[in-house]
């Protein structure tokens, strides 16, 4: 991986996708690596987007670049000026799933387990539906 230079968050598309602008005026879409937030029309989808907005919108962040996804977006871990990880904060607050299909991180798995046990965020729901299962449901 390599670190992208400090950049400003100019858009929050949803809980796990943001746009940044670099000092040389390049706009880059970042997909938060290792996690999957609820879809916007799903329970906690708007809360996840709001959390990401509060954490990062209009602020300068650092990105640990972990490659690209199938859509050409940079897969990254986003850090604020205090060194806090947005990816981990979303999991800790029960606003994302650890995306085990693409991530073997024990840190992320542990954060999800802790949130689950504490019934934080979406883990307070009786039957939380993962975003990857939600996307497979027939559209209304």
């Amino acid at each position: 991986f390599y670190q992208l230079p400090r950049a400003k968050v100019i858009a929050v598309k949803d809980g796990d996708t943001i746009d940044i602008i670099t000092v040389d005026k390049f706009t880059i879409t970042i997909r938060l690596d290792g996690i999957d937030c609820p879809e916007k029309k799903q329970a906690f989808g708007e809360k996840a987007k709001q959390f990401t907005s509060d954490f990062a919108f209009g602020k300068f962040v650092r990105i640990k670049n972990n490659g690209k996804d199938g859509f050409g977006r940079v897969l990254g871990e986003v850090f604020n000026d205090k060194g806090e990880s947005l990816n981990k904060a979303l999991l800790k607050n029960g606003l994302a799933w650890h995306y085990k299909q693409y991530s073997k991180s024990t840190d992320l798995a542990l954060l999800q387990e802790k949130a689950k046990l504490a019934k934080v965020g979406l883990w307070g729901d009786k039957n939380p539906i993962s975003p990857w299962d939600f996307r497979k449901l027939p559209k209304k």
Side-chain angles (χ1 to χ4, degrees), residues 78-133:
V78 175
F79 296 92
N80 64 15
D81 281 339
K82 295 176 193 160
E84 298 162 328
S85 163
L86 172 58
N87 308 46
K88 289 178 179 173
L90 282 160
L91 274 175
K92 194 175 172 179
N93 286 279
L95 296 171
W97 269 259
H98 175 210
Y99 213 164
K100 292 177 184 154
Q101 183 181 346
Y102 300 103
S103 165
K104 302 295 173 232
S105 166
T106 50
D107 284 357
L108 297 182
L110 190 62
L111 285 169
Q112 176 173 295
E113 272 316 298
K114 284 181 179 175
K116 243 179 167 172
L117 288 171
K119 295 190 181 337
V120 180
L122 61 86
W123 302 112
D125 272 7
K126 262 188 192 158
N127 295 307
I129 298 171
S130 69
W132 50 90
D133 286 332

Side-chain angles (χ1 to χ4, degrees), residues 50-70:
Q50 188 60 54
F51 185 93
T52 296
S53 247
D54 293 345
F55 187 99
F57 183 71
K59 298 175 182 153
F60 284 90
V61 296
R62 293 196 183 276
I63 313 289
K64 180 178 155 190
N65 182 340
N66 295 329
K68 291 200 171 185
D69 70 4

